[in-house]
Amino acid sequence: MDMQDHLKDADFWQKVGGVARVAGRQVLSPAMLLFYVLKRADTPAWAKAIVVGALVYFISPIDAIPDVIPVAGYTDDVGVMAGALATVAAFIDEAVKSQAARRLDEWLGG
């Protein structure tokens, strides 16, 4: 089974689309970078597993600090994603950064 099977694109986009304006760039930027690292064909399985874990935590309605709590609600999500980003940083190239920035600009304005 492919790592991406554990994270359905529709679930990810639904979560991100629903929180885009509230969460802002600080929360969505790491999520976008991880998502596009996951989509790279040359990202190894071990890195995809880390990314999937972080993104599933992000989209999950159950986490350490509920997302409905203003400001603090996304703190745990950002921490988990920051750890994943540090681990898979070698796979974040200019194409990944560009895709993530383009999508954020579509939602939040440039």
Side-chain angles (χ1 to χ4, degrees):
M1 178 185 308
D2 188 349
M3 285 295 139
Q4 294 181 48
D5 292 340
H6 295 288
L7 176 71
K8 302 295 181 214
D9 284 7
D11 293 339
F12 177 76
W13 292 121
Q14 180 179 10
K15 168 70 176 201
V16 172
V19 302
R21 299 244 184 257
V22 175
R25 283 187 189 271
Q26 287 184 311
V27 174
L28 295 182
S29 182
M32 292 291 100
L33 290 169
L34 290 170
F35 181 80
Y36 288 114
V37 165
L38 180 65
K39 295 301 175 182
R40 284 180 54 157
D42 63 339
T43 301
W46 67 264
K48 287 184 177 193
I50 290 167
V51 169
V52 166
L55 292 178
V56 166
Y57 186 85
F58 173 61
I59 67 171
S60 174
I62 300 169
D63 56 6
I65 303 173
D67 295 341
V68 295
I69 297 173
V71 181
Y74 294 106
T75 307
D76 59 323
D77 299 287
V78 171
V80 168
M81 289 188 289
L85 282 171
T87 305
V88 301
F91 305 101
I92 301 172
D93 61 6
E94 287 305 315
V96 167
K97 290 176 187 176
S98 177
Q99 289 172 307
R102 213 175 12 250
R103 183 55 67 115
L104 286 170
D105 287 347
E106 286 175 12
W107 282 334
L108 304 174

